[in-house]
Structures are given as C-alpha cells and as structure tokens.
C-alpha cells in the first residue's frame, strides 16, 4: 500500500471514529433529556390523577371523579382493580393494558411497551385504599414524536459522518499528492543518477522548503558527495599503483634483455634485485595501508620505551646515511608510551630516511626525543631541500611526491611513507606536524601521549 493511500485511510478512519463517538454522545444525551422530560410529566399527571381519584364502598374506582381532569395530548390513563379488571380507561375505547408486565410489586415503575402498534412510555403506580391494595394506575404517553426525533437525528449524524469522511478522504488524497511530490522528484533523480552512473549529479535543494524532505535531499546529496570522493580516490589509487608497478617491471625486463644478449653480468642482476626489493616494499606498504583503511589491522598495545626504539632506528639510519650525511642525536629522554613498537619504529625510520633522502651531500640531520607536557615529542630536523608551499599541504596524501622527487631513480620512493607515518601516529592518539622552508630545511614533529605514572 502506498504511503499516500495509508495516510488517506488513516485520516479518514480517524475522523470517522471521532465523529461516530461524538454523534453517539449527542444521540445519547438528547435521548436521556427527552425521556427524563417525558417521565417527569407522566409522574406529574399520575400525581394529579391520584389526588382526584375516589373509591366507593364496593372497592370500585369512580370514573366521574376524574372526568374533569384534562390530560395533555397523547396521554392514556387506565385504572385496574385489585382483581385485574379494567375500571377506568381514557380514551374509553382502550381495553388492552398499557403495560401488563409492569403490574408487579408495590413500587412505582417506568417502562416502555408497544400496544396496538403504538410505542408507549408507561408510569405504573400501585393504588392503596384504607383496606389495603386497591388496584393499579397506569399513565402512558405516545413516544412517536421522540422516535421521529431520534430517527432523524440518527440519519443526520450518519449522513454528516459519511460526507465528512468522503470530503476528508478526497482532500487528504489531493494534499498528500502535493506534500509527497518532492519525494517523487527525489526518487526520480536518484534513479536517473544510478542509471547514468553519474555521481556528480545532485538533487536541487532550493526546490524544497526547509522541511523534512529538504533535509532528506540534503543528506542524500552529502552521501553522493562522499561516494564521489571515495570513487575518485579509488580511481586515482588504482592509477597510481599501476604506474608505480610498471616502472620497476620495465627496468627488470630491460635488464633481462641485456642478460639474454650479453650473458649474466653483475650490474644487471643488481638492477633486477633492486627493483624486486622496491616492489616488495611497495606491496608491503600497500597491504599495510589497505589494512589500515579497512580497519582490519590491529595494533599491539604495550609499554614502549621510545628511547630504545630510537636507538635501534639510529643504527639503521647511520647505514642509510653512509658518509655523505651526518645524523646527530641531539637529545634522548626516557619516554614511555602505550603502543606497537614495530609501528612506532616505522614512523621514526620513515621520517629519518626522508630527511636523509631529501638532504644533499654534507647535510645534517638532527634527531631529538624529549617530553612536552603529557606528550612525548620526537623531531627530525634537516637542512636539505625543503618542501615548496604548494607541496606542503599534500605530502601526507597517498602517492603524493614532491616535484623534485618525482623522477624515478632506484632509491626513490612511492609517496607512501608519510601517509603511513601519519596513520600510525594518529592511531596511537598522537599527531604529526611539519614545518619547512625551501632551501632551508624541514622539521617533522611527532607527538605521542605518554603513559601516565
Ligand atoms: N625531509 C624532507 N625534505 C624535503 N621533502 C620531503 C621531506 N620529507 C618528505 N618530503 C616530500 O614529501 C613527499 C612525500 O614523502 P613520503 O615519505 O610520503 O614519500 P617518499 O619519500 O617520496 O616515498 P616513500 O616514503 O613511500 O618511499 C616526498 O616525495 C618529498 O617530496
Ligand atoms: Mg619517504
């Protein structure tokens, strides 16, 4: 069932039941008031008759005693003796009891009966003479008028309810069509987007008022935007990976060609080995990033002494730096953090090897580990090429490499090191900062939360 049908039904049924309830109340109230009124006048008539009524010695009621009594219209009077014989009747022709069933007991009673096709309200009063029970007085009134009023009232109420329900159904049907029109538009556009695979399309927001539908359209647009960026970065990622894979493969193939032609030589073998190493590193980095992004990678959590991690890294750094660059350990504090020692080591090594790689011969790299408030601060400062202001905002992106480092040499990287370092740092609740000036040098700072003592 469509939302429109459901809303229409709901409103109509709701209104119908409200009107029925209301109508029922009105009907009941009117009936109670009318019956009360009738009963009161019956009782008054009965009292007046009893005041006039005379009984003779033979225990017979005297019809003449009430002959002067003028009952109001539609009133029937009957007096029955104690042996259930009719003694007085007005109009005189009536021989049938107004309500025989009410002749029991010594209480006055109100009852309703149907006699000779007439609907009657009857008030029964037992009569008592000095010698005891002497008979029964019944005063009845024709309920024809009340029946007509009740019948008309019922018809009016039913007619009103049905017409109100029909009008409501019709109006709701029309109004919901207007109200739900934006949803139809959204559905239409969404279908077009998925049919055309065009994530760049958006639902025009200004068409909708500032309501729930407008919010839905806004949320939908946000989802589209996010999907667009995700798909975009996915595409770029695939292009980057293919590019990075092709270069080493070309070099390997070239070297194999040389070996085939001139036989095995050390240089070609070294070239192949170099490229295979690069590929291995690339695949490792990619796996790590993929795990990081899909959230399946879990980090070890243990107390790590950053000082001893750094000592390890410094050993590898001096191998990397060789004789051409000086790597200085300026300061090393004892700093304990909670984390994964292998990953933290990777961060340190990535930053130091960058500094070594992007600093020309005879340059200096200064490494520093200290505490700053509740954070451990690891910094690497070089006096190398620096990073241009255009590159600076992007260096933490996957596969982003600065201008000068784009040309392929056997030692050049993939542009993954910093994005991995950033991811690991942030996973440890820390942050990574960079400060750089072209031709002056670069400083990277890594903050990691210290273990509270
Ligand atoms: N200390 C630095 N001095 C100058 N430029 C730097 C420095 N560190 C990083 N960069 C610039 O930032 C870019 C990104 O660095 P990142 O470590 O992510 O990639 P990479 O070193 O090129 O490759 P990978 O680390 O994956 O082997 C580098 O290409 C370089 O242009
Ligand atoms: Mg690097």
């Amino acid at each position: 069932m469509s939302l429109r049908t459901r809303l229409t039904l709901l409103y109509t049924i709701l209104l119908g039941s409200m009107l029925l309830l209301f109508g029922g109340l009105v009907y009941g109230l009117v009936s109670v008031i009318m019956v009360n009124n009738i009963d009161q006048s019956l009782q008054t008539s009965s009292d007046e008759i009893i005041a006039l009524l005379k009984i003779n010695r033979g225990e017979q009621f005297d019809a003449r005693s009430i002959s002067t009594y003028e009952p109001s219209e539609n009133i029937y009077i009957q007096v029955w003796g104690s042996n259930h014989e009719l003694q007085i009747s007005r109009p005189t022709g009536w021989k049938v009891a107004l309500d025989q069933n009410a002749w029991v007991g010594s209480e006055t009673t109100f009852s309703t009966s149907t006699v000779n096709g007439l609907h009657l309200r009857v008030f029964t009063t037992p009569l008592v003479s000095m010698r005891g029970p002497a008979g029964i007085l019944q005063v009845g009134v024709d309920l024809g008028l009340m029946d007509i009023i009740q019948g008309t009232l019922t018809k009016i109420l039913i007619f009103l309810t049905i017409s109100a329900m029909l009008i409501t159904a019709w109006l709701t049907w029309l109004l919901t069509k207007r109200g739900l029109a934006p949803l139809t538009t959204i559905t239409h556009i969404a279908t077009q987007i998925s049919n055309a695979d065009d994530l760049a399309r958006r639902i025009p927001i200004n068409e909708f008022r500032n309501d729930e539908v407008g919010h839905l359209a806004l949320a939908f647009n946000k989802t589209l935007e996010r999907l667009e960026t995700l798909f975009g970065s996915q595409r770029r990622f695939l292009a980057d990976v293919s590019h990075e894979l092709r270069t080493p493969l070309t070099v390997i193939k070239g070297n194999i060609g040389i070996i085939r032609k001139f036989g095995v030589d050390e240089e070609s073998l070294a070239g192949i080995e170099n490229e295979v190493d690069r590929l291995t590193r690339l695949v490792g980095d990619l796996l790590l990033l993929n795990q990081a992004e899909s959230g399946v990678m879990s980090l070890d959590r243990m107390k790590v002494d950053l000082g001893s991690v750094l000592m390890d890294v410094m050993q590898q750094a001096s191998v990397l730096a060789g004789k051409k660059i000086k790597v200085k350990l300026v300061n090393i504090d004892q700093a304990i953090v909670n984390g994964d020692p292998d990953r933290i080591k990777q961060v340190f090594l990535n930053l130091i090897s960058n500094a070594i790689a992007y600093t020309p011969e005879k340059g200096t790299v200064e490494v520093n580990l200290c505490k700053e408030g509740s954070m451990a601060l690891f910094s690497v400062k070089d006096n190398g090429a620096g990073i241009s202001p255009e590159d600076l905002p992007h260096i933490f992106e996957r596969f982003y490499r600065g201008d000068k480092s784009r040309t392929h040499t056997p030692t050049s990287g993939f542009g993954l090191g910093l994005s991995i370092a950033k991811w690991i740092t942030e996973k440890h609740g820390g942050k990574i900062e960079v400060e750089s000036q072209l031709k002056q040098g670069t400083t990277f700072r890594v903050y990691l939360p210290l273990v509270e003592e």
Side-chain angles (χ1 to χ4, degrees):
M1 206 193 290
S2 72
L3 184 59
R4 202 176 162 200
T5 322
R6 257 186 287 168
L7 279 177
T8 308
L9 273 182
L10 182 75
Y11 282 137
T12 312
I13 291 174
L14 217 66
L15 182 89
S17 355
M18 293 295 286
L19 283 180
L20 276 185
L21 190 78
F22 187 69
L25 275 177
V26 169
Y27 182 90
L29 206 67
V30 167
S31 304
V32 165
I33 289 173
M34 281 195 301
V35 168
N36 261 343
N37 227 345
I38 287 170
D39 286 356
Q40 230 161 36
S41 75
L42 279 179
Q43 200 160 10
T44 316
S45 300
S46 172
D47 288 348
E48 286 167 1
I49 292 166
I50 289 172
L52 295 172
L53 206 56
K54 292 208 171 68
I55 190 165
N56 59 21
R57 285 205 190 110
E59 287 292 300
Q60 285 277 323
F61 288 101
D62 187 355
R64 276 169 303 167
S65 59
I66 59 162
S67 60
T68 50
Y69 180 69
E70 280 297 328
S72 53
E73 251 181 285
N74 298 328
I75 288 260
Y76 300 83
I77 303 168
Q78 285 185 340
V79 178
W80 298 80
S82 43
N83 297 326
H84 299 332
E85 75 283 6
L86 185 60
Q87 295 188 357
I88 302 173
S89 173
R90 282 174 62 175
T92 27
W94 275 67
K95 301 284 182 238
V96 198
L98 295 178
D99 188 1
Q100 210 166 344
N101 299 330
W103 283 1
V104 284
S106 55
E107 301 284 313
T108 58
T109 49
F110 287 103
S111 58
T112 25
S113 68
T114 310
V115 183
N116 292 344
L118 284 181
H119 191 200
L120 295 176
R121 179 80 174 162
V122 180
F123 181 56
T124 308
T125 319
L127 297 173
V128 186
S129 73
M130 282 190 283
R131 284 182 224 156
I136 289 155
L137 168 68
Q138 282 196 321
V139 188
V141 70
D142 184 3
L143 288 180
L145 183 66
M146 191 182 97
D147 289 344
I148 290 172
I149 292 175
Q150 281 182 333
T152 316
L153 192 62
T154 311
K155 276 183 212 146
I156 290 176
L157 287 176
I158 288 177
F159 173 76
L160 278 182
T161 307
I162 290 178
S163 359
M165 281 173 81
L166 286 178
I167 291 172
T168 311
W170 180 62
L171 279 180
T172 320
W173 186 250
L174 287 187
L175 287 178
T176 43
K177 183 180 180 170
R178 274 190 58 187
L180 295 177
L183 279 186
T184 319
T185 316
I186 291 178
T187 315
H188 188 66
I189 295 178
T191 318
Q192 279 183 346
I193 290 172
S194 61
N195 283 349
D197 261 340
D198 183 5
L199 286 175
R201 281 195 63 164
R202 296 286 178 273
I203 293 168
I205 298 283
N206 43 4
E207 259 182 42
F208 308 119
R209 290 134 290 143
N210 190 20
D211 58 8
E212 288 86 346
V213 179
H215 297 159
L216 173 68
L218 207 69
F220 191 72
N221 279 351
K222 270 196 191 136
T223 311
L224 281 178
E225 210 172 293
R226 177 106 185 88
L227 279 179
E228 200 187 359
T229 7
L230 274 179
F231 277 128
S233 76
Q234 203 85 33
R235 252 199 299 271
R236 259 194 324 265
F237 180 71
L238 214 64
D240 289 338
V241 171
S242 333
H243 177 79
E244 294 297 346
L245 284 175
R246 208 168 47 202
T247 326
L249 289 177
T250 318
V251 177
I252 291 173
K253 187 146 172 55
N255 279 321
I256 290 175
I258 293 172
I259 291 175
R260 216 181 233 138
K261 227 175 187 171
F262 306 106
V264 181
D265 70 306
E266 245 339 283
E267 204 181 322
S268 305
L269 279 183
I272 292 175
E273 198 172 16
N274 232 325
E275 292 305 322
V276 170
D277 282 349
R278 261 171 62 76
L279 280 177
T280 313
R281 194 159 69 85
L282 174 64
V283 171
D285 282 358
L286 284 178
L287 271 178
L288 186 79
L289 268 181
N290 180 47
Q291 285 174 338
E293 267 169 27
S294 55
V296 289
M297 190 168 88
S298 56
L299 293 170
D300 277 347
R301 289 282 169 188
M302 56 178 82
K303 282 191 178 163
V304 181
D305 179 8
L306 293 185
S308 60
V309 172
L310 186 54
M311 288 315 292
D312 264 7
V313 175
M314 288 307 287
Q315 216 147 19
Q316 295 182 37
S318 65
V319 179
L320 278 178
K323 292 230 166 68
K324 56 175 194 143
I325 286 162
K326 223 160 121 193
V327 182
K328 273 201 289 194
L329 186 56
V330 178
N331 176 47
I332 185 161
D333 276 357
Q334 202 202 26
I336 314 275
V337 301
N338 217 341
D340 187 326
D342 288 337
R343 299 284 168 238
I344 294 175
K345 193 170 164 183
Q346 203 171 354
V347 175
F348 290 181
L349 196 61
N350 278 357
L351 294 180
I352 295 177
S353 63
N354 271 355
I356 293 171
Y358 303 112
T359 304
E361 244 173 273
K362 302 229 158 59
T364 324
V365 174
E366 289 176 4
V367 179
N368 192 348
L369 175 66
C370 60
K371 289 185 195 174
E372 211 178 87
S374 61
M375 293 286 199
L377 167 59
F378 164 78
S379 64
V380 182
K381 182 177 173 196
D382 65 56
N383 57 2
I387 305 170
S388 72
E390 300 91 71
D391 286 337
L392 206 56
H394 301 290
I395 53 170
F396 292 104
E397 290 168 16
R398 284 183 322 199
F399 289 113
Y400 191 88
R401 312 198 56 227
D403 258 346
K404 292 202 183 71
S405 26
R406 266 192 212 291
T407 44
H408 175 82
T409 66
T411 49
S412 71
F414 305 106
L416 292 175
L418 284 180
S419 55
I420 291 174
K422 183 174 154 77
W423 183 82
I424 295 174
T425 309
E426 284 174 358
K427 271 287 153 191
H428 280 84
K431 61 176 180 187
I432 187 164
E433 286 174 355
V434 60
E435 199 185 303
S436 185
Q437 208 144 34
L438 266 185
K439 290 187 187 119
Q440 303 284 312
T442 309
T443 308
F444 279 95
R445 289 189 192 86
V446 173
Y447 295 88
L448 291 171
L450 288 165
V451 171
E452 280 167 40
E453 274 155 60

